[in-house]
Amino acid sequence: MTGATSGRRAGPRAFLLSSDGWPYLLVPFIPLAIVLDLAGVSAVAIFFASALGVIPTAALMGRATEELAARSGPGVGGLLNVTFGNAPELIIALFALEKGLHEVVKASLTGSVIGNILLVLGMSMFVGGLGREKQEFNRVAAGAQSSMLLLAAVALVMPAIFEGINGSGLPSPGAERVAYDGDVEHLSLVVALVLIASYGAGLVFSLKTHRSLFNPPHEPDEEEAQPWSVRRSVGALALAGVAVAVMSEILVGSISEAATSIGLTEFFVGAIVVATVGNAAEHWVAVLVAHKNKMDLSVNIAIGSSAQIALFVAPVLVLVSFVLGPGPMPLVFNGFELGAFLLAVLIANHVTAEGESTWFEGVQLLCVYAVVALAFAFA
Amino acid sequence: MTGATSGRRAGPRAFLLSSDGWPYLLVPFIPLAIVLDLAGVSAVAIFFASALGVIPTAALMGRATEELAARSGPGVGGLLNVTFGNAPELIIALFALEKGLHEVVKASLTGSVIGNILLVLGMSMFVGGLGREKQEFNRVAAGAQSSMLLLAAVALVMPAIFEGINGSGLPSPGAERVAYDGDVEHLSLVVALVLIASYGAGLVFSLKTHRSLFNPPHEPDEEEAQPWSVRRSVGALALAGVAVAVMSEILVGSISEAATSIGLTEFFVGAIVVATVGNAAEHWVAVLVAHKNKMDLSVNIAIGSSAQIALFVAPVLVLVSFVLGPGPMPLVFNGFELGAFLLAVLIANHVTAEGESTWFEGVQLLCVYAVVALAFAFA
Amino acid sequence: MTGATSGRRAGPRAFLLSSDGWPYLLVPFIPLAIVLDLAGVSAVAIFFASALGVIPTAALMGRATEELAARSGPGVGGLLNVTFGNAPELIIALFALEKGLHEVVKASLTGSVIGNILLVLGMSMFVGGLGREKQEFNRVAAGAQSSMLLLAAVALVMPAIFEGINGSGLPSPGAERVAYDGDVEHLSLVVALVLIASYGAGLVFSLKTHRSLFNPPHEPDEEEAQPWSVRRSVGALALAGVAVAVMSEILVGSISEAATSIGLTEFFVGAIVVATVGNAAEHWVAVLVAHKNKMDLSVNIAIGSSAQIALFVAPVLVLVSFVLGPGPMPLVFNGFELGAFLLAVLIANHVTAEGESTWFEGVQLLCVYAVVALAFAFA
């Protein structure tokens, strides 16, 4: 962080090469993606250019949100973080929803959740644990978020059980959009409302009644960087929002054709590639702070982000699907998604139960991610 | 409790309005249910009158059992509590068994288990946690009972796996009674015997070798109420037994028709409505003591009652089904029941692992219950 | 151990009757099995003679490995233990693989894992817990091995999900060898490589970076027995290897016919009988040390052996199946195996989470094993 700070004082070039600044090296991919898209060249090139272009826009959005949140009190700041924290994923998903790519949306939701738990937390525990006997974190805060994931797991499994028994069976990973009957759509709708209500209760818990659990004592070196003005933050947020939207539309527009060209399924692309790029900047921060032995923050980013996607982004998308796109998107996940989701949640509960981690736990999480990704690739 | 105590001294009216006495306000529903049943009016009216009539009889039975148990030593008292603790559920289930309503019986068993874990424990943690930083309970005692539930989960899942692979598939929630082949019936029989043996070992553990774990130090204010004589307790027990039996017969007789009239499935009625009324009085006590910050007792009631149903009531019903009713009832649960049961047990293990609870954990449990109940309603 | 020690000094007869020596009483079954096999008598007699003959050879192999390991440093010693620790199971499985008995191989792998978790750990906790308030063990070491099992569970479930959705469905327990398509074979191959890599990381963790966790302070009474020379150890290892191989070949050759004659399925014989005899000597040690209140060692044997089978023996067999026998053996387990495996792993995580055990936990594990074995018997 010191490097980043002095970098910012020393000029843009040093900043770009600092540990915070690297995502902005990818900015050239933004105009490149636009040009390639207008030129109508190969979908694969468009897909990769826009995927790389998403990363700096998401990073800017995250930074601007943090700056704005730091200027507000913890209550409003927390709400800002919640609202914009997973905005890139939400925006990408909205474009996919509008195109009726329901299976891609659900794949990327699953991919975000398991990517945060297995890839991000795994990498954090591995990198942070190297050369250390063990790392410690607040297991009560981590446990509260793991519980939310367990609740989400129940909520996301029930419509699938329903559809498996009463309906036409679970979707296959190959399908683009399955036609469901009205019952499972209504069930998904009310389940989504319950999840959002529970997420709201979680905000009251973490921002109000048990705030101290989630706000570890002030760490001075974080503050050295010169804070942004409110005007600059809002401007950056608006700019980032537009850029994310443009990149997302191009990315989503190229998915189907690009997947076919590369020989991968849309399911794999949604669950592994799309889920990764939307979170890349955030992931980097989690690993970086783990390396600095701030495991509380690292676990909070990884598990908290997973919980936010499962309990807020996913149900919001269900609600939106009733008014946007070709029709409602029920929360019916396929067998791979359910298996990966349930097992990842069990593992998240297990590794956070003790409030301690070692590099080996990190390796195990990464191995689980590898197995899941391999299964998705073969699907 | 002070209110209840002084109420009992001050006269029946104050007692009825006290926190212990309200179930007895429902006594008029007992004769009402009998009259409606004899008059042969609408099944819905009979169903609701008898459902409400079950509550005071179950409360009286619970009270009489406690009084009798308090007069005996901990060993005999514990056995009394075990034998009569879930007597109302058992009696209702016996009548349903005799009528061949196997799917209703299994639904109400599932509903009792998940209702205790999710609804009762959730409400207790929520109400008890309001205004408190956190509440604590003995995690070793809670853990021993959660383990029993995990064991029960294995035992209850295995026959379903067996039937799913070797037999004609799992039952659907709509079916009244499925014809199984002899193998799964014999498997259920021996599994039931193993469960009962394990439950017996649990009694030796909690009443004999590790009694102190389950008997927290004496709390004086419990004793202020004037104890009942043995004669009075036995009389009340006999009276309650007869009343429960009468109400149960009327209730079970009206289920099918009432469910059709209301537009709900028998499955939902069994799992949510029947399971709730049989436990209502007990549930109330659990929430009340949680509010008084006696979480040990509250958790003990909720998880202990679940374990008792899964490891004692359910296998006893399997054994009885070989001699009562149209034929053996194997322990083959449908997909909703299995999913709800397994997830509820995992959650029970998770929330009791730390020996601490907050209001937010209560909200989460209630949300999971809402999701499960919604899925059951749509089934 | 004192008895065993003095026994060894006092002469072979006392040794044979000591707590360490009893497996060698079964030595006569080795020539008996050979004679019966050559005489071509009933398969049942051959099966039981060779099953009993496996026990002393496995015991000798275990003893020789320990002696050799004690002479090496902890690094090489650990590697020796790893390599030869489950050698009998591996040798039996290799013969079954060569004969194309894939379902028997997978059944015996499953049986070894659940047998170690449920039967061995259950018996250890039960015997060790009798007459004691509770027993304690290092929950960090136990937790690391439980995590490995959780990872293995994910890895072993994913190919089954894949096959259930994309392929021709899960195998039934009756089948001898199912024809799979190439995709699931390749998926199994890479999953096997990930598991072996993770197992290698586990060795680095337990033998190098966190060695102290797994090496509790030296306990003098273990050392009283006179150590074997390297020459004697190597000789015993070679002798045991030959004997295990001979017994395994005879055992595997008689399985199919013996199972049919007794009226049991090959699946049950593989999962319960074969899995038990290969581990019998090791199991005995685990129970013995639990009785002596050395729960750390007991838990380490039980959970460690399970983890080794799931993360090392199983993937090695998959790799070998590409060059030995009729064709690749993908890691597609049937529903019984998956259910038993997942539930056993959850239970292992649960009972090791607290670092404490009582006799009742032992009883519960044994009850779960009974339920699983019953379901396997009916399958």
Side-chain angles (χ1 to χ4, degrees):
Chain A
M1 203 53 100
T2 327
T5 311
S6 50
R8 258 168 241 149
R9 276 184 205 130
R13 183 156 170 198
F15 169 68
L16 282 176
L17 299 174
S18 73
S19 57
D20 273 19
W22 70 265
Y24 303 106
L25 291 172
L26 301 172
V27 162
F29 284 100
I30 300 177
L32 181 63
I34 297 173
V35 169
L36 291 175
D37 188 46
L38 293 176
V41 295
S42 93
V44 176
I46 299 173
F47 176 76
F48 280 109
S50 57
L52 291 170
V54 165
I55 295 174
T57 63
L60 181 60
M61 188 166 249
R63 179 75 200 277
T65 307
E66 271 172 39
E67 292 288 342
L68 216 53
R71 298 233 157 213
S72 329
V76 176
L79 276 174
L80 281 170
N81 264 322
V82 164
T83 316
F84 292 105
N86 280 304
E89 286 96 321
L90 189 56
I91 293 170
I92 296 176
L94 285 174
F95 278 103
L97 205 59
E98 194 259 327
K99 280 205 158 26
L101 299 169
H102 286 181
E103 297 308 316
V104 171
V105 171
K106 288 185 285 179
S108 77
L109 289 172
T110 309
S112 280
V113 170
I114 62 170
N116 274 299
I117 294 174
L118 301 175
L119 181 59
V120 180
L121 194 57
M123 194 60 88
S124 300
M125 286 183 169
F126 176 64
V127 169
L130 284 179
R132 291 192 177 100
E133 167 78 23
K134 64 184 178 189
Q135 297 188 287
E136 297 190 351
F137 50 89
N138 184 336
R139 67 183 180 79
V140 181
Q145 289 175 322
S146 299
S147 289
M148 291 175 80
L149 279 173
L150 207 51
L151 156 61
V154 179
L156 300 180
V157 163
M158 274 293 152
I161 292 181
F162 180 87
E163 189 64 18
I165 295 176
N166 282 32
S168 43
L170 296 186
S172 97
E176 270 210 10
R177 202 174 74 84
V178 183
Y180 296 101
D181 61 25
D183 268 1
V184 77
E185 290 172 359
H186 290 125
L187 175 59
S188 292
L189 184 65
V190 284
V191 166
L193 294 173
V194 172
L195 283 177
I196 291 174
S198 144
Y199 191 67
L203 291 182
V204 175
F205 182 75
S206 62
L207 301 177
K208 199 144 177 245
T209 66
H210 289 66
R211 194 163 58 199
S212 57
L213 267 184
F214 297 85
N215 283 315
H218 193 68
E219 313 215 7
D221 79 344
E222 300 283 354
E223 244 52 34
E224 281 182 44
Q226 204 175 327
W228 289 6
S229 67
V230 172
R231 173 187 290 254
R232 187 178 176 193
S233 304
V234 172
L237 204 55
L239 180 66
V242 172
V244 167
V246 172
M247 285 301 103
S248 299
E249 186 170 15
I250 298 176
L251 179 75
V252 168
S254 65
I255 281 182
S256 300
E257 211 184 316
T260 316
S261 301
I262 315 171
L264 289 170
T265 58
E266 271 188 32
F267 174 62
F268 180 83
V269 171
I272 306 297
V273 183
V274 172
T276 305
V277 296
N279 289 304
E282 200 181 15
H283 290 184
W284 175 255
V285 174
V287 177
L288 197 71
V289 296
H291 180 61
K292 292 176 182 166
N293 209 13
K294 297 177 191 166
M295 278 309 279
D296 268 320
L297 186 49
S298 184
V299 171
N300 193 31
I301 292 172
I303 309 271
S305 192
S306 277
Q308 197 178 35
I309 298 214
L311 278 88
F312 182 72
V313 176
V316 161
L317 287 170
V318 170
L319 298 190
V320 170
S321 77
F322 277 80
V323 294
L324 182 76
M329 176 184 76
L331 282 171
V332 180
F333 291 91
N334 67 47
F336 286 101
E337 293 166 334
L338 290 175
F341 193 80
L342 275 176
L343 291 164
V345 168
L346 285 179
I347 289 172
N349 274 283
H350 182 69
V351 296
T352 58
E354 292 161 28
E356 292 179 3
S357 67
T358 64
W359 67 265
F360 181 49
E361 282 184 282
V363 169
Q364 290 181 304
L365 291 174
L366 293 173
C367 284
V368 174
Y369 188 73
V371 169
V372 171
L374 283 166
F376 281 15
F378 278 93
Chain B
M1 204 52 98
T2 326
T5 309
S6 51
R8 259 170 242 149
R9 276 184 205 130
R13 183 155 171 200
F15 169 68
L16 282 176
L17 299 173
S18 73
S19 56
D20 272 20
W22 69 266
Y24 302 105
L25 290 173
L26 302 171
V27 163
F29 284 101
I30 300 177
L32 181 63
I34 296 174
V35 169
L36 290 175
D37 188 47
L38 293 175
V41 296
S42 94
V44 176
I46 299 173
F47 177 75
F48 279 109
S50 58
L52 292 170
V54 165
I55 296 174
T57 62
L60 181 59
M61 188 167 249
R63 180 74 200 278
T65 306
E66 272 171 40
E67 294 288 343
L68 215 53
R71 298 234 156 213
S72 330
V76 176
L79 276 175
L80 281 170
N81 263 322
V82 164
T83 316
F84 292 105
N86 280 304
E89 286 96 321
L90 188 57
I91 292 170
I92 296 175
L94 286 174
F95 278 101
L97 205 59
E98 194 259 326
K99 279 205 158 24
L101 298 170
H102 287 182
E103 297 307 316
V104 171
V105 171
K106 288 185 284 180
S108 77
L109 289 172
T110 310
S112 280
V113 171
I114 63 171
N116 274 300
I117 296 175
L118 302 173
L119 181 60
V120 179
L121 194 57
M123 194 59 88
S124 299
M125 287 183 168
F126 176 64
V127 169
L130 285 179
R132 293 193 175 98
E133 168 78 25
K134 65 184 177 190
Q135 296 187 287
E136 298 190 349
F137 51 89
N138 184 336
R139 68 182 180 78
V140 181
Q145 289 175 322
S146 300
S147 288
M148 291 174 81
L149 279 172
L150 208 51
L151 156 61
V154 179
L156 300 180
V157 164
M158 274 293 151
I161 293 181
F162 179 88
E163 190 62 19
I165 295 176
N166 282 31
S168 43
L170 296 186
S172 97
E176 269 210 11
R177 201 173 76 84
V178 184
Y180 297 102
D181 60 26
D183 269 2
V184 77
E185 290 172 358
H186 291 124
L187 176 58
S188 291
L189 184 66
V190 283
V191 166
L193 293 173
V194 172
L195 283 177
I196 291 174
S198 143
Y199 191 67
L203 291 183
V204 175
F205 182 73
S206 63
L207 301 178
K208 196 141 178 246
T209 67
H210 290 65
R211 196 163 57 199
S212 57
L213 267 182
F214 296 85
N215 283 314
H218 193 67
E219 314 214 6
D221 79 345
E222 299 283 356
E223 242 52 34
E224 280 181 46
Q226 204 176 327
W228 289 5
S229 67
V230 171
R231 174 186 290 255
R232 187 178 175 192
S233 303
V234 172
L237 203 56
L239 179 67
V242 172
V244 166
V246 173
M247 285 301 102
S248 299
E249 185 170 17
I250 298 177
L251 180 76
V252 168
S254 65
I255 281 181
S256 300
E257 211 184 317
T260 316
S261 301
I262 316 171
L264 289 170
T265 57
E266 271 187 31
F267 175 61
F268 180 82
V269 170
I272 306 297
V273 183
V274 172
T276 306
V277 296
N279 289 303
E282 200 182 16
H283 290 185
W284 176 256
V285 173
V287 177
L288 196 71
V289 297
H291 180 61
K292 292 176 183 168
N293 208 15
K294 296 176 191 167
M295 277 310 277
D296 267 319
L297 185 50
S298 185
V299 170
N300 193 30
I301 291 172
I303 309 272
S305 190
S306 278
Q308 197 177 35
I309 297 208
L311 277 87
F312 182 71
V313 176
V316 162
L317 288 170
V318 170
L319 298 190
V320 170
S321 77
F322 277 79
V323 293
L324 182 76
M329 176 184 77
L331 282 171
V332 179
F333 290 90
N334 68 46
F336 286 101
E337 292 166 333
L338 290 175
F341 193 81
L342 276 176
L343 293 164
V345 168
L346 286 178
I347 289 172
N349 274 284
H350 182 69
V351 296
T352 57
E354 292 161 29
E356 291 178 4
S357 67
T358 64
W359 67 264
F360 181 49
E361 283 185 279
V363 169
Q364 289 181 305
L365 291 175
L366 292 172
C367 284
V368 174
Y369 188 72
V371 168
V372 171
L374 283 166
F376 281 14
F378 278 92
Chain C
M1 204 52 102
T2 327
T5 310
S6 50
R8 261 170 239 147
R9 275 184 204 130
R13 183 158 171 197
F15 169 68
L16 282 177
L17 298 174
S18 73
S19 56
D20 271 21
W22 70 266
Y24 302 105
L25 290 174
L26 301 171
V27 163
F29 284 101
I30 301 177
L32 180 63
I34 297 174
V35 169
L36 290 176
D37 189 46
L38 292 176
V41 295
S42 93
V44 176
I46 299 173
F47 176 76
F48 280 109
S50 57
L52 291 170
V54 165
I55 295 175
T57 62
L60 181 61
M61 189 167 248
R63 178 76 199 276
T65 307
E66 271 171 41
E67 294 287 343
L68 216 52
R71 299 234 157 212
S72 329
V76 176
L79 276 175
L80 281 171
N81 264 322
V82 164
T83 315
F84 293 104
N86 281 303
E89 286 97 321
L90 189 57
I91 293 171
I92 296 175
L94 286 173
F95 278 103
L97 206 59
E98 194 260 325
K99 280 205 158 24
L101 299 170
H102 287 181
E103 298 307 316
V104 171
V105 171
K106 288 185 285 179
S108 76
L109 289 173
T110 310
S112 281
V113 171
I114 63 171
N116 274 299
I117 296 174
L118 301 174
L119 181 60
V120 180
L121 195 57
M123 194 59 88
S124 300
M125 287 182 169
F126 176 64
V127 170
L130 284 179
R132 293 192 175 98
E133 168 79 24
K134 64 184 178 189
Q135 296 187 288
E136 298 191 351
F137 50 90
N138 184 335
R139 67 182 180 78
V140 181
Q145 289 176 321
S146 300
S147 289
M148 291 174 80
L149 280 172
L150 207 52
L151 157 61
V154 179
L156 299 180
V157 164
M158 274 293 152
I161 293 181
F162 179 87
E163 189 64 18
I165 295 175
N166 283 31
S168 43
L170 296 186
S172 96
E176 270 212 9
R177 202 173 75 82
V178 184
Y180 297 101
D181 61 25
D183 269 2
V184 78
E185 290 172 359
H186 291 125
L187 176 59
S188 292
L189 184 65
V190 284
V191 166
L193 293 173
V194 171
L195 283 177
I196 291 173
S198 145
Y199 191 68
L203 291 182
V204 175
F205 182 74
S206 62
L207 301 177
K208 196 137 181 252
T209 67
H210 289 65
R211 194 164 55 199
S212 57
L213 266 183
F214 296 86
N215 284 314
H218 193 68
E219 314 214 6
D221 78 345
E222 299 283 357
E223 244 52 36
E224 282 181 44
Q226 203 174 327
W228 290 4
S229 66
V230 171
R231 172 187 290 255
R232 187 178 175 192
S233 303
V234 172
L237 204 54
L239 179 67
V242 171
V244 167
V246 172
M247 286 300 103
S248 299
E249 187 169 16
I250 297 176
L251 180 76
V252 168
S254 65
I255 282 182
S256 301
E257 210 184 319
T260 316
S261 300
I262 316 172
L264 289 169
T265 58
E266 272 188 30
F267 174 60
F268 180 82
V269 171
I272 306 295
V273 183
V274 173
T276 305
V277 296
N279 289 302
E282 201 181 14
H283 289 185
W284 176 256
V285 174
V287 176
L288 197 71
V289 296
H291 180 61
K292 293 176 183 168
N293 208 16
K294 297 177 189 165
M295 277 310 278
D296 268 320
L297 185 51
S298 184
V299 171
N300 192 31
I301 291 172
I303 309 272
S305 189
S306 278
Q308 197 178 36
I309 296 208
L311 278 88
F312 182 71
V313 176
V316 161
L317 288 170
V318 170
L319 299 190
V320 169
S321 77
F322 277 80
V323 294
L324 182 74
M329 176 184 76
L331 283 170
V332 180
F333 290 90
N334 67 46
F336 286 100
E337 293 166 334
L338 290 175
F341 193 80
L342 276 176
L343 292 165
V345 168
L346 286 178
I347 289 173
N349 275 283
H350 183 70
V351 296
T352 58
E354 292 161 27
E356 291 178 3
S357 66
T358 63
W359 68 263
F360 181 50
E361 283 185 280
V363 169
Q364 289 181 305
L365 291 175
L366 292 173
C367 284
V368 174
Y369 188 73
V371 169
V372 171
L374 284 167
F376 282 14
F378 278 93

